[in-house]
Amino acid sequence: FQRTEAPRPPGKKDLHAYPWDKSSLKSMPVDLQQFEKLDAYALKVNVKNSVEELVKALLKQARTDLEKVRAIWMWICHHIEYDVVGYHNKSQLSSKPIDVLQMGKSICEGYAGLFEHMCSIAGIQCMKLSGHSKGNGYKMGQTFTGDSDHTWNAVYLDGRWHLLDSTWGSGAVDDSFTKFTFRYNEFYFLTHPALFINNHFPDNSNWQLLKPTLTLKDFENNMLHNSNFYMLGLLTAHPETAVIQTVNGKASVSVDCHSATLFTFKLKGTDEHGLMTLKKHGMKLDLYPQKTGSHKLQIFAKPSKASDVYNCVLEYVVECKSVDKAMRFPKDLHQPVGPSWFTERQGFLRPSHLDPIIHTNDGRCSVTFTLGKDISVLASLHCDSSSLTEDMGRRHIMQIHRGNQIELKIHLPHAGNFVLKIYARKKSDPGNYDYIFNYLIICLNTEVKWPAFPQSYSKWVEDYEILEPLSSLLPANRNVQFKLKMHGIAKVLVQAENAYPLTQSRGYWEGICNTSGCREVFVMVHENANHSFYSHVLKYEVESQ
């Protein structure tokens, strides 16, 4: 074993540009697949009597300096646990490498000391660095004073210095600082310095390995991105400060990422007071807190393909000076809101409305999509204040199908904030409908009062269409014009007090019905000239006299 010469201090060629250039999470090219065999070997090495013997055993499978560092790193991260008891009683604690090895536990000082000692036995230059960290117990926006609180390492590979933190690579301590859990974290192995500075501020600023270097004030103000943020392929978040002030009751956050990612959020423990939209490369979140004061905001993410749980990737504090009462959302609103790459995957293509909010002045609106193959759609309208039953919530929406296009025509029963929920299922697989997404519909015009659409029965086929009357409520003692688009039918009758046949011309069935002397009007069809019975397809009510 060669003893290494005195390490050189960091110089120009060690420096990386700040801010991060979004290229790599590592400070040198690393192919993790090539480490698989070495990693598995290192985990199995079981030597506790001497550090020299341990290094000797680990290096059997390591050729390059990078492989030697990797083997040492893997062994420490999987065999040394964080000493939560020792942390609270440091006078009883030895950080000597041999003691750390034999005890199998230590605090950061011991991890970094063992790492440095093992590297020096392996002939690799390594430094122990100390400084401030945004680790366990860190509070957003806090200032750092007094002595440093954390220790990590720099290693010299391929003519450059690189940073790593085996304490944080090994696992995590719970919030009460009483229990350590081994949970390997690849992020802290040769971390890119522009990312490492996010939660490690060395006492000697040269060891940031950055140009320009950051001040302690920069470090305090900068947004803390934890390792989940980068490991999930997220790139940047705006704003970049930990505290956000609302402007006129609104605050906005956005995240950029490489690939399709699913997000959720909690503001003060709930997702009721925001509108989150998914973008192809990230998400946008508009918040409207309904109370003044300071609120904790957490943002969670997971890869779109995975059934994984959501991981917290960002935390902010939102300071709300005034409340925008108009943006109080209905309880039924689900996040994310509006169409996205996710709804496209479910077969809802080319939406007419890309925004999550649809504004209507006269209480009417219509949303169109091109539908993927074999999709049956169900839509319903929800509102906090009205007595809109589930059935009536569906009756205020009419589906119109033209080829593979679907139009949802909506007539609101009154002013207010509504949720339009859209469900789908495969026609070929007639199970339950799955919830896909929703829109927020806002109407401020208090004079709005649209009746529901007519009630339809099972014989009403999806590509039939009502042109008139659209209202389910017909005037009393009047002649009412009917115009319906239906195909494959022999006869159509409108049954009021008397029966009124409709005549067919150019694909439409038309005619007039008189509403005198009846409370209900039915549209009935003869599907086949040879049949003697009629099927009900639509039902209307008649206004009382």
Side-chain angles (χ1 to χ4, degrees):
F1 289 112
Q2 68 228 53
R3 289 282 170 188
T4 53
E5 71 269 27
R8 71 163 176 80
K12 261 193 185 146
K13 64 184 214 171
D14 300 298
L15 304 185
H16 294 255
Y18 182 87
W20 183 47
D21 61 8
K22 303 181 191 175
S23 57
S24 165
L25 300 182
K26 307 279 188 199
S27 52
M28 66 186 283
V30 171
D31 179 357
L32 294 178
Q33 282 179 317
Q34 292 198 338
F35 285 147
E36 277 175 8
K37 269 201 176 114
L38 177 65
D39 288 354
Y41 170 77
L43 296 196
K44 291 199 188 82
V45 169
N46 185 13
V47 176
K48 287 283 167 77
N49 55 342
S50 97
V51 184
E52 278 80 4
E53 290 300 314
L54 171 61
V55 175
K56 199 157 138 188
L58 285 172
L59 296 196
K60 279 191 179 136
Q61 295 287 323
R63 299 183 319 282
T64 64
D65 282 359
L66 173 58
E67 287 175 354
K68 292 174 188 176
V69 168
R70 178 70 178 189
I72 293 168
W73 157 268
M74 278 318 257
W75 193 91
I76 291 180
C77 287
H78 290 85
H79 292 86
I80 306 298
E81 64 176 288
Y82 195 86
D83 187 350
V84 280
V85 178
Y87 172 82
H88 294 294
N89 185 8
K90 295 201 178 73
S91 60
Q92 303 298 306
L93 202 68
S94 163
S95 291
K96 279 201 200 125
I98 185 60
D99 295 337
V100 173
L101 175 63
Q102 287 175 347
M103 292 283 294
K105 55 179 156 188
S106 188
I107 60 171
C108 57
E109 179 69 31
Y111 278 88
L114 179 59
F115 199 96
E116 181 189 38
H117 187 52
M118 288 173 76
C119 282
S120 96
I121 295 169
I124 288 159
Q125 291 189 33
C126 177
M127 290 288 287
K128 195 163 70 174
L129 306 174
S130 57
H132 293 293
S133 72
K134 293 182 179 177
N136 218 307
Y138 165 72
K139 298 269 184 297
M140 267 185 299
Q142 79 174 55
T143 53
F144 291 89
T145 50
D147 293 340
S148 54
D149 58 40
H150 191 48
T151 313
W152 57 93
N153 296 100
V155 289
Y156 194 71
L157 294 168
D158 290 357
R160 272 181 115 174
W161 283 107
H162 301 272
L163 302 168
L164 46 79
D165 183 341
S166 58
T167 312
W168 288 10
S170 66
V173 175
D174 64 345
D175 289 340
S176 60
F177 229 93
T178 51
K179 182 170 176 283
F180 170 80
T181 310
F182 273 114
R183 189 163 58 238
Y184 175 68
N185 194 336
E186 177 61 47
F187 182 72
Y188 293 108
F189 179 69
L190 311 184
T191 316
H192 193 295
L195 302 180
F196 204 73
I197 192 65
N198 196 16
N199 43 19
H200 292 76
F201 189 83
D203 293 335
N204 174 346
S205 63
N206 291 336
W207 284 109
Q208 293 180 22
L209 306 184
L210 291 175
K211 76 171 185 280
T213 50
L214 276 69
T215 64
L216 184 59
K217 193 96 205 107
D218 295 331
F219 178 70
E220 288 169 349
N221 291 341
N222 277 356
M223 188 60 217
L224 172 63
H225 298 324
N226 60 23
S227 58
N228 289 333
F229 183 92
Y230 296 109
M231 297 301 269
L232 282 167
L234 309 187
L235 298 169
T236 54
H238 298 279
E240 288 172 348
T241 51
V243 179
I244 313 173
Q245 313 283 348
T246 58
V247 178
N248 300 330
K250 175 184 176 183
S252 297
V253 174
S254 63
V255 177
D256 296 325
C257 56
H258 275 309
S259 56
T261 304
L262 292 168
F263 292 88
T264 61
F265 73 94
K266 291 225 178 312
L267 181 68
K268 227 177 167 179
T270 144
D271 68 359
E272 284 168 26
H273 306 303
L275 273 186
M276 193 180 78
T277 48
L278 293 180
K279 307 282 181 216
K280 208 176 209 100
H281 297 294
M283 72 91 172
K284 184 173 190 299
L285 172 60
D286 291 330
L287 295 159
Y288 302 89
Q290 294 297 304
K291 283 203 178 95
T292 56
S294 283
H295 308 301
K296 178 173 164 180
L297 168 66
Q298 294 168 294
I299 292 171
F300 306 84
K302 71 172 186 179
S304 69
K305 293 193 174 56
S307 53
D308 303 1
V309 288
Y310 281 94
N311 276 303
C312 184
V313 290
L314 282 171
E315 284 194 14
Y316 288 96
V317 172
V318 177
E319 292 193 344
C320 179
K321 305 264 194 324
S322 66
V323 168
D324 182 351
K325 286 271 184 261
M327 296 307 275
R328 172 169 280 161
F329 301 129
K331 289 197 177 44
D332 276 305
L333 190 68
H334 270 297
Q335 308 293 341
V337 186
S340 66
W341 57 265
F342 176 76
T343 54
E344 269 190 20
R345 274 189 198 176
Q346 312 295 318
F348 289 78
L349 312 171
R350 296 195 266 295
S352 56
H353 291 70
L354 294 169
D355 275 345
I357 304 182
I358 299 170
H359 293 275
T360 165
N361 187 39
D362 69 358
R364 296 183 295 184
C365 58
S366 109
V367 187
T368 61
F369 303 95
T370 301
L371 280 184
K373 281 193 175 50
D374 187 37
I375 293 175
S376 175
V377 175
L378 182 72
S380 58
L381 206 57
H382 304 260
C383 177
D384 282 355
S385 58
S386 71
S387 52
L388 203 57
T389 61
E390 193 166 341
D391 181 50
M392 286 313 283
R394 290 215 255 283
R395 295 260 316 272
H396 279 272
I397 303 167
M398 186 163 73
Q399 291 192 25
I400 300 166
H401 292 259
R402 298 184 187 96
N404 60 356
Q405 277 235 317
I406 181 173
E407 177 186 354
L408 300 176
K409 211 187 254 300
I410 296 135
H411 286 183
L412 299 179
H414 52 75
N417 292 355
F418 291 82
V419 181
L420 168 64
K421 286 194 178 181
I422 297 172
Y423 303 80
R425 66 170 169 80
K426 281 194 156 37
K427 287 179 187 164
S428 54
D429 168 22
N432 288 336
Y433 282 88
D434 290 326
Y435 167 77
I436 308 293
F437 69 119
N438 56 188
Y439 282 97
L440 177 66
I441 301 177
I442 297 181
C443 176
L444 303 175
N445 180 354
T446 51
E447 287 171 17
V448 160
K449 193 177 173 210
W450 290 100
F453 292 107
Q455 190 174 341
S456 60
Y457 296 103
S458 59
K459 293 283 188 189
W460 180 262
V461 180
E462 109 173 344
D463 54 0
Y464 289 179
E465 189 179 335
I466 306 172
L467 286 95
E468 57 185 338
L470 285 177
S471 165
S472 63
L473 203 55
L474 304 179
N477 306 320
R478 287 279 179 79
N479 282 336
V480 176
Q481 173 75 32
F482 275 74
K483 184 174 183 182
L484 307 169
K485 187 178 177 185
M486 295 152 75
H487 55 78
I489 283 169
K491 281 185 190 164
V492 182
L493 272 191
V494 179
Q495 179 70 52
E497 187 167 25
N498 300 316
Y500 299 88
L502 301 185
T503 54
Q504 188 181 19
S505 82
R506 294 198 297 277
Y508 296 102
W509 292 87
E510 297 181 74
I512 288 184
C513 148
N514 188 289
T515 59
S516 305
C518 65
R519 301 296 309 276
E520 295 177 327
V521 171
F522 292 95
V523 177
M524 297 150 66
V525 299
H526 240 25
E527 294 176 47
N528 183 324
N530 305 329
H531 283 183
S532 57
F533 59 88
Y534 280 90
S535 307
H536 288 65
V537 289
L538 295 173
K539 176 185 170 186
Y540 291 85
E541 315 276 330
V542 178
E543 285 174 348
S544 42
Q545 318 288 348

